[in-house]
Amino acid sequence: MPRRALLSLLILDVAIAAAAPPGRGSQGLPTLKYEKFKLKNGLEVILSEDHKLPLVAVNLWYHVGPANERPGRTGFAHLFEHMMFQGSKHVKPNEHFRLLEAAGATDINGTTDFDRTNYFETVPSNQLELALWLESDRMGWLPDMLTARNLANQRDVVRNERRQGESAPYDIVEEGLFHQLFPKNHPYYGVVIGSHADIEAAELPEVREFFKQYYSPGNASLAIAGDFDPKTIKALVEKYFGAIPAGPPVPPISATTPPIASERRATITDRVELPRVYMAWLTPPIFKPGDADAGVLARILGGGKSSRLYKKLVFDKQIAQDARAEQNSLLLDSVFEITVTAKPGVKPEDLEQAIEEELARIQQEGPTQAEVEGARNVIETNIVRGLERLGGFGGVSDRLNLYNHYLHDPGYLPKDIARYDAVTPDSVKKFAASLTHNSSAVVYGVPGEKKLEDVPKREDAAAQPPPMPRPDKPEEAWRARPPKPGKSPTLNLPSPLSFKLANGLTVFLVERHNLPVITANVAVRAGSEANPPGRAGLASFTAAMLQEGTEKRPALKLADDVEFIGATLNTNSSADQASAGIRSLSKNSDAAFDLLADVVQHPAFQPEDVERVRKLRLTAILQQKDNPYILASKFLYREVYGEKHPYGYLETGTTESTQATTREDLLNFYRAEYGPANALLSVAGDVTAAQLKSLAEKYFGGWAGVGKAAEPPVPGTALARRIVIVDKAGAPQTMVRVAQVGVTRNNPDYPAVEVMNAALGGLFSSRINLNLREQHGYTYGAFSAFVYRRGPGPFFTGGAIRTDVTAPAVKEIFNELRRIREAPLTPDELSLAKDFLARSLAGRFETTANIADRMGELFIYSLPLDYFRTLPGRIDGVSAADALRVAQKYLTPENMVVIAVGDRAKIEPELKKLELGPMVALDAEGKPIASAAASTASN
């Protein structure tokens, strides 16, 4: 289309974003360039060009959420988030995910918040038209798929998602807090997902009317960020979206929030081990005066180890297991929330009093200038780090749409930074003073029975009403089929620059200068595979202690120093490695390296810190009984490997091993395993090779530890198929895992195994997920995965299954496991799996943290430096015969153990009928339940 004709269709709105204003916080921060225009139908379009990777993010926000819903019909916006993936006139059911996965898309998702609903995907740049075709087709032609059958299916899926949340500890307590803050007819009263009753009551005519009212170009904004052609992008947007009618005017949100005039309180029981105290206040709406002060106060009070609540309640008094504060910024009113979990034996009343004392102290004295500086630095650094990604949560396209949604100004970034720059100790003190006793809501979550909504599934009429009439609009013939991809972009995945220090430390560097950020990781081959007998969790305990004080920095001084430069410091361990990593703005590289080197080389292991951390870890192990996800993993490892194998327990270890671990154990493990010859310094971001060599030599050149990698463990004896039920009476779902020993990361069959598993359960459009979620409605999502380690890691499949269909779901899982071994993948399945794995690789290198992690894989698993550059070719070489061969070789259903964490009384009878081998019932601690310990089903 000629440019003059194109411009006649567009209403130019805003040009290029201005540079950041001068000021302390804005120095060195990036400018987010964009262009905004509007189609005649009202669709706002925001473009941000970036050619760092051959990727482009498409991010579409509809200005609708629970804020627009009416009482008695909660959850409609979230229900539509699901309906929008069910196909449209030209897109078959389940084709949306399949087409995007085949294109190599990442970050494929939709989310609903109180004030908006969004949909996004990041695709290889030659697949931009596919993303635009899909998004435009469901905007303009979704009504063809708004059928009773699809609605019934997605009601099941959404209710499974709600049950999944209800299975999580304290979920219903958090919901109860919002019930105290808002009146029952307020759109923020319930959870975004809606109530079971409202979801089940949704009728097709009102669902169709909801779509007609809110899902139109005039109520949406489209952000596109990344590697697109600026000469053609506007014509493409017009081609795909221009013919869709604007839609009716959207009625204004009428809800108002009455202030809280006197304290509101509630106590809610949940199946948890420890009490938790929630305190909350209604605060200024998002981006309004006071919102930034609230964000800074939240960081100062409960934003990490340097926060006041952590220091006083977790560190000093040791009456709390954790403490956090946050400002949940929303359109109508925001919510400032403090959440603290009690230590065993601590009453919630005592915990509340301690919180009140800290709140009163900051109300009377205000924060220090250093506290404000540190909080502000962290907030600003986190915003900038989010911009490393084009799409997904907090990426460039998401942030442009966020600002546009709330402020009609996609270029608000410098003003956003400026509002935090304007925060002072006095303004934080003033805001803190508004958090009064009489304006608060206080909720205790205490151990007891979990009271859940019980709404039976409705029986929908079999008759299908006629299709929803579509707006009268022209349909070009090209809409009937997906657009062909453009020329494949050059995929040039990085290989690191590598050098060694004289002490043997390996250093990898990948330069990335588009943003002023840097990530530096130290990885040591000192994971749980190196734990000695009887010391499960020792590697993890040691890694945790690195962050708990050094020879020159006590624990709280270390936390303050990290906070002050706005950095994020983490230490961790896995089966294969221990790691310490820091992320910061590149202007703070010297200080960041100083901190990282200090925790790696000079941990203090002070006796009082060891005992304090031991108590935290013992309490965390106690809390594992609250969480069915964690319990499923715990018993999976134990049943697959045995309790004496290094892979036979969670990284945290056991109560017995944690109690038995001494300070000498920690010191001896550190001295034996940590050393430069056994370690990698992996760096990515805004630093040159010369700068890194200087930093590495300055801060790591004197490291003199020994360190020697343990030999990878070998699996034990072959499994015999059986069922292990872990009883959680009253659980709304069963957490199912079907598992066996898998393969090592450096296995030559890795590409073929990945292709096979992608088709089996690794993708949304995989066999297992389509079977259990889309076909049967048994679950919100089902999957399969190989967990790769230096030794043979586990393979497992499963999901959170509706209690009443646990046995049928397990049966279908075994059907799919057998089917994948009986015949080759179809050509379409093979092509989909290979295309996704190869084309999505670029997305695994989008951020400096991604890159540092990928480089760590090379070192830990002894892979060549060009491994990722050559991986696409190896994936492309996988045949259907290869996928069948590895399925037959590495998947043996007759040797798989079934873990079912759920209500034993409801699931055991039907599971027995499956005849999958011996059955044992255990409690959450792993002790046999006497009446069922010997029960079996015939083989």
Side-chain angles (χ1 to χ4, degrees), residues 264-389:
R264 299 172 183 173
R265 304 185 72 90
T267 298
I268 299 173
T269 58
D270 194 3
R271 292 189 183 91
V272 293
E273 294 291 327
L274 301 173
R276 179 176 284 180
V277 174
Y278 291 83
M279 301 176 69
W281 294 261
L282 299 177
T283 53
I286 187 170
F287 296 119
K288 297 296 183 180
D291 182 46
D293 297 285
V296 171
L297 176 62
R299 185 76 202 174
I300 292 170
L301 269 180
K305 290 187 175 182
S306 67
S307 68
R308 291 194 175 196
L309 289 174
Y310 183 91
K311 288 178 177 177
K312 183 63 68 173
L313 276 62
V314 180
F315 192 94
D316 290 341
K317 292 186 174 181
Q318 298 185 32
I319 60 173
Q321 177 69 5
D322 53 56
R324 63 180 174 85
E326 61 181 338
Q327 167 78 343
N328 187 5
S329 300
L330 297 167
L331 179 67
L332 301 177
D333 278 286
S334 299
V335 175
F336 187 92
E337 183 179 327
I338 295 173
T339 308
V340 181
T341 308
K343 277 296 210 39
V346 176
K347 297 178 181 179
E349 294 83 0
D350 296 336
L351 206 56
E352 181 185 356
Q353 182 179 346
I355 298 169
E356 291 275 16
E357 290 172 359
E358 284 307 301
L359 186 58
R361 190 162 69 90
I362 204 166
Q363 289 170 334
Q364 294 164 7
E365 303 170 2
T368 66
Q369 183 66 39
E371 285 179 312
V372 172
E373 289 283 337
R376 180 164 49 203
N377 288 339
V378 170
I379 292 169
E380 294 178 356
T381 300
N382 287 341
I383 291 174
V384 174
R385 280 173 41 201
L387 302 180
E388 290 189 85
R389 304 176 66 203

Side-chain angles (χ1 to χ4, degrees), residues 11 33 67 95 200 291 311 324 376 429 517 520 578 603 695 787 835 928:
I11 304 172
K33 294 185 177 181
E95 280 286 286
E200 205 59 43
D291 182 46
K311 288 178 177 177
R324 63 180 174 85
R376 180 164 49 203
K429 180 182 178 183
V517 295
L695 287 167
V787 180
D835 288 347

